[in-house]
Amino acid sequence: MKFKFTDTKVDSVFGMTDDIKKNLIYFNTNKDTISILWNQNNTPVTLEIDNTIIELQPNQLITTTYLHYVSYQKTEKPLTAFMFNRPFYCIRDHDSEVSCNGILFFGTQELPIVTIPEDQKRKFSTLYEIFIDEFSTSDKIQGDMLQMLLKRLIIICTRLAKEQLTLKKLNNEQIDLVRRFNVLVDEHFKTKRKVSDYADLLFKSPKTLSNIFALYNQSSPQQIILSRIALEAKRLINYTDKQNQEIAYDLGFNDPAHFSSFFKKMTNYSPTKYRELYKN
């Protein structure tokens, strides 16, 4: 089963399938695609995100953005997927309408997995059936209806995420600050390496950021910046033919030797050794 809604006037796309591996080519996902992946099986489903194996348990959902590299080569069972681009539903534009919906889309530093409780399975199943029904109804307001349903799905998942993820110590403003920090790191990590750079963009002090992240998890803002650089380096090694020197310059290192030292410190391997071990 596969459905796709498109609006060529604004280049918006929203798709849904009960088997993303089988139907991936139909959706022609690109650098703008955001996905919500849902295991509706009674047994775990395996997928690979940024070279990390994920075992998605029954009735669990995970969100990925265009910043992730997702592979379904190891996926042996159907995996339900909702896919959309920013012109169809922009997470940032809806922040004021959906309190903290951004916690599902922190950026590459987080892979939020949400578990559907037993008492809410019917709610999700009903919403799923409504999606199918709406995709089958072609009229002038179909796009609006699908957007409303997607918004409802995001709201429901957000509520669960706030309960299940390590967010209870933070208020809505703090959660949004964590999300915005991660998004800014994804945008500027090649040129901005200091916490103070991001603090300035967020109109906060570096100390404020550090205090909030201490409540949220064990990674400091500086560790997140460095981890993001290392993650991109691993991606470039795994998914491109670029050599170490070229990768170093791409990531803002003036000296390849400095990049090699940084990479080894972050991964315990030199770029060359990592390439030998993990290159696909």
Side-chain angles (χ1 to χ4, degrees), residues 56-265:
L56 201 60
Q57 299 300 313
N59 293 301
Q60 283 191 334
L61 302 97
I62 189 169
T63 57
T64 65
T65 75
Y66 40 82
L67 298 172
H68 297 101
Y69 284 86
V70 183
S71 170
Y72 302 105
Q73 289 185 357
K74 301 180 186 296
T75 305
E76 298 180 348
K77 298 173 184 176
L79 183 62
T80 298
F82 302 88
M83 294 156 289
F84 58 96
N85 63 0
R86 293 188 61 182
F88 182 81
Y89 189 97
C90 182
I91 302 303
R92 294 183 184 180
D93 291 348
H94 286 78
D95 276 353
S96 61
E97 300 176 38
V98 184
S99 177
C100 294
N101 71 7
I103 69 175
L104 295 176
F105 310 96
F106 266 143
T108 52
Q109 299 303 317
E110 298 290 334
L111 280 173
I113 296 178
V114 174
T115 301
I116 302 173
E118 190 68 33
D119 62 355
Q120 294 201 37
K121 288 181 181 178
R122 184 175 180 181
K123 180 189 296 184
F124 276 83
S125 295
T126 300
L127 183 57
Y128 181 72
E129 293 299 325
I130 296 174
F131 266 113
I132 293 175
D133 183 64
E134 191 55 48
F135 268 113
S136 303
T137 306
S138 181
D139 57 28
K140 291 184 179 180
I141 62 172
Q142 184 186 42
D144 294 329
M145 289 296 294
L146 289 171
Q147 190 180 85
M148 288 172 56
L149 292 173
L150 176 60
K151 183 175 179 179
R152 178 166 174 75
L153 176 62
I154 291 174
I155 290 173
I156 296 172
C157 291
T158 295
R159 289 172 177 167
L160 292 177
K162 291 178 70 175
E163 287 297 317
Q164 297 173 11
L165 305 181
T166 55
L167 298 167
K168 291 185 177 181
K169 295 180 181 179
L170 306 182
N171 59 38
N172 285 353
E173 182 179 353
Q174 291 171 324
I175 292 172
D176 186 61
L177 187 63
V178 171
R179 181 193 65 79
R180 288 191 290 136
F181 174 83
N182 278 279
V183 171
L184 286 172
V185 170
D186 280 326
E187 293 177 350
H188 302 291
F189 69 91
K190 292 182 181 181
T191 57
K192 299 183 186 297
R193 305 285 176 88
K194 299 179 181 178
V195 176
S196 58
D197 293 332
Y198 297 95
D200 290 343
L201 291 173
L202 293 166
F203 302 102
K204 301 291 182 181
S205 70
K207 184 177 180 180
T208 296
L209 288 179
S210 296
N211 289 340
I212 290 176
F213 273 88
L215 288 173
Y216 168 60
N217 60 20
Q218 297 177 347
S219 297
S220 69
Q222 187 62 57
Q223 287 172 324
I224 288 174
I225 296 169
L226 297 179
S227 295
R228 181 64 181 89
I229 299 168
L231 174 60
E232 190 68 17
K234 289 190 286 186
R235 286 175 172 174
L236 292 172
I237 291 173
N238 287 325
Y239 302 110
T240 74
D241 294 325
K242 293 184 177 181
Q243 298 304 304
N244 296 342
Q245 182 174 340
E246 190 176 1
I247 292 173
Y249 293 140
D250 281 352
L251 296 178
F253 291 89
N254 294 324
D255 182 359
H258 182 201
F259 164 68
S260 182
S261 175
F262 164 82
F263 190 87
K264 187 169 185 178
K265 181 178 180 181

